[in-house]
């Protein structure tokens, strides 16, 4: 594996790989790797011939009130994870390399960015789509691997790639959980032991909502009450939203049918955490996708 920091190096190395007939797999990240990131690297390794990981804590996607300065970082540890996952190139640009001048051009995806996390983070997705568009431009034609932990992000980035005809196939990968159900996140490192235990209420609430839908509940309001009711039992967890939306366009549904996304966000101590599941409802047949639990060795 080589670690590089310059845009022209990344461009050249990806062009070279494709010139040799290799398919490029790309995993954009903000680092502080856990098993969720590793699963994306493994998927890229399985589907592509040349794997590029970017590690960049993107200032543009943090509001001034958010946790940019305190975002956890461990470049040395992250490099070891990439090495072990068979990554070919780790791209770690400096902020000045990504944004050498004040940025006048941003990418905005309408509609999909308005609900869910867009409500409390109104500038977040423009920061994400702008940096991902830049990274896609640097890497060039590739498959790009994103985790469904950030379900709204996958939908937004996929739509951006389609609308702008970017030569990138956006691949959504399973949400990876801790053994006790907590969705893995770099931000879990902010939690003290009490908060860490309380945070499991998010996945417990999703399980309970899944059970209600499986038992025949089709009213989004009722599912919201199940989620909010259980989450309210944990005083350390302050609910931001609990919603049932169409899995395609992310708009609220009036009845639970077809494929829906059940998504929650909450503040726990210093951390803002998100979690979700996808539910496919076809008459009485209900399929729930809550993701996968990381094997212990991957934690
Ligand atoms: P981040 O470093 O948090 O920006 O995440 C980089 C990529 O890893 C994104 O595509 C995330 O969706 C993905 N990711 C983060 N946490 C998880 C998780 N628990 N399961 C699956 N993918 C994840």
């Amino acid at each position: 594996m080589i670690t590089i920091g310059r845009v022209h190096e990344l461009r050249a190395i990806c062009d070279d790989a494709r010139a040799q007939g290799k398919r490029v797999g790309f995993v954009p990240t903000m680092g502080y790797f856990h098993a969720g990131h590793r699963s994306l690297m493994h998927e890229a390794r399985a589907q592509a011939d040349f794997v590029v990981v970017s590690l960049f804590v993107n200032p543009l996607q943090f509001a001034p009130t958010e946790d940019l300065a305190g975002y956890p970082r461990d470049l040395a540890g992250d490099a070891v994870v990439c090495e072990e996952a068979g990554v070919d190139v780790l791209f770690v640009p400096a902020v000045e390399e990504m944004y050498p001048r004040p940025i006048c051009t941003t990418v905005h995806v309408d509609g999909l960015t308005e609900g869910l996390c867009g409500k409390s983070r109104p500038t977040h997705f423009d920061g994400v789509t702008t940096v991902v568009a830049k990274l896609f431009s640097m890497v060039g034609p590739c498959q790009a691997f994103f985790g469904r932990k950030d379900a709204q992000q996958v939908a937004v980035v996929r739509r951006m790639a389609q609308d702008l005809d970017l030569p990138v196939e956006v691949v959504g990968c399973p949400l990876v959980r801790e053994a006790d159900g907590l969705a893995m996140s770099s931000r879990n490192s902010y939690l003290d032991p009490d908060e860490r235990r309380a945070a499991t209420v998010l996945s417990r609430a999703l399980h309970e909502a899944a059970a209600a839908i499986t038992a025949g509940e089709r009213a989004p309001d009722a599912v919201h009450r199940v989620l909010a009711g259980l989450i309210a039992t944990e005083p350390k967890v302050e609910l931001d939203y609990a919603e049932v939306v169409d899995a395609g366009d992310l708009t609220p549904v009036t009845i639970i049918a077809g494929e829906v996304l059940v998504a929650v966000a909450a503040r726990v101590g210093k951390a803002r955490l998100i979690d979700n599941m996808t539910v496919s409802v076809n008459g009485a047949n209900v399929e729930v996708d809550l993701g996968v639990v990381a094997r212990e060795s991957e934690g």
Side-chain angles (χ1 to χ4, degrees):
M1 185 180 83
I2 60 163
T3 300
I4 57 174
R6 302 297 306 275
V7 171
H8 68 86
E9 293 173 303
L10 177 63
R11 224 183 261 291
I13 222 162
C14 292
D15 284 346
D16 271 4
R18 278 183 299 268
Q20 293 168 35
K22 294 181 179 167
R23 291 165 307 169
V24 174
F26 176 43
V27 182
T29 80
M30 299 205 300
Y32 210 69
F33 295 145
H34 51 66
H37 297 108
R38 276 200 283 267
S39 72
L40 302 182
M41 296 172 199
H42 287 140
E43 196 53 37
R45 189 68 278 164
Q47 291 200 36
D49 309 302
F50 189 77
V51 177
V52 177
V53 171
S54 65
L55 193 172
F56 180 60
V57 182
N58 173 34
L60 221 55
Q61 69 192 69
F62 290 78
T65 51
E66 293 182 351
D67 56 340
L68 173 62
Y71 197 82
R73 296 165 202 248
D74 176 13
L75 180 55
D78 285 349
V80 172
V81 170
C82 287
E83 216 40 273
E84 286 175 359
V87 169
D88 295 292
V89 175
L90 175 59
F91 176 57
V92 192
V95 173
E96 309 76 59
E97 180 72 7
M98 289 297 281
Y99 301 115
R101 65 195 81 79
I103 196 154
C104 293
T105 309
T106 56
V107 179
H108 173 72
V109 173
D110 242 352
L112 291 170
T113 57
E114 279 163 24
L116 303 177
C117 289
K119 275 193 199 137
S120 53
R121 305 185 76 191
T123 58
H124 170 69
F125 286 110
D126 286 4
V128 171
T129 43
T130 300
V131 81
V132 172
K134 284 166 70 72
L135 290 165
F136 283 1
S137 152
M138 296 166 194
V139 171
C142 66
Q143 285 181 302
F145 297 83
F146 290 82
R148 288 197 289 266
K149 148 95 183 322
D150 300 272
Q152 188 173 18
Q153 176 170 278
V154 178
V156 168
V157 168
R158 181 173 284 142
R159 185 57 189 258
M160 171 189 78
Q162 289 166 347
D163 284 353
L164 298 181
D165 299 301
L166 304 180
V168 177
E169 181 196 343
V170 174
V171 182
C173 300
L175 188 163
V176 179
R177 298 182 179 283
E178 303 277 3
D180 64 4
L182 181 66
M184 288 196 160
S185 166
S186 307
R187 291 188 167 101
N188 292 347
S189 63
Y190 297 154
L191 304 173
D192 70 25
D194 280 348
E195 291 164 349
R196 170 69 187 74
R197 194 187 29 73
T200 61
V201 78
L202 299 181
S203 60
R204 286 189 276 123
L206 289 173
H207 273 280
E208 211 164 282
I213 299 170
T214 304
E217 186 57 73
R218 296 292 180 267
D221 286 357
V223 171
H224 172 85
R225 281 194 295 277
V226 168
L227 293 163
L230 188 60
I231 292 169
T233 64
E234 281 291 355
K236 287 186 184 295
V237 180
E238 187 196 329
L239 185 64
D240 176 0
Y241 66 75
E243 286 201 45
V244 185
V245 298
D246 182 277
D249 64 15
L250 307 186
T251 56
V253 296
T254 51
I255 184 148
I256 298 175
E259 192 157 312
V260 297
L261 176 74
V262 182
V264 296
R267 190 157 283 285
V268 189
K270 275 204 309 150
R272 184 177 179 280
L273 304 180
I274 57 174
D275 201 347
N276 72 79
M277 64 180 171
T278 305
V279 184
S280 300
V281 178
N282 188 357
N285 186 37
V286 175
E287 277 171 37
V288 178
D289 179 2
L290 272 152
V292 297
V293 174
R295 281 170 291 158
E296 213 169 296
S297 60
E298 292 179 345

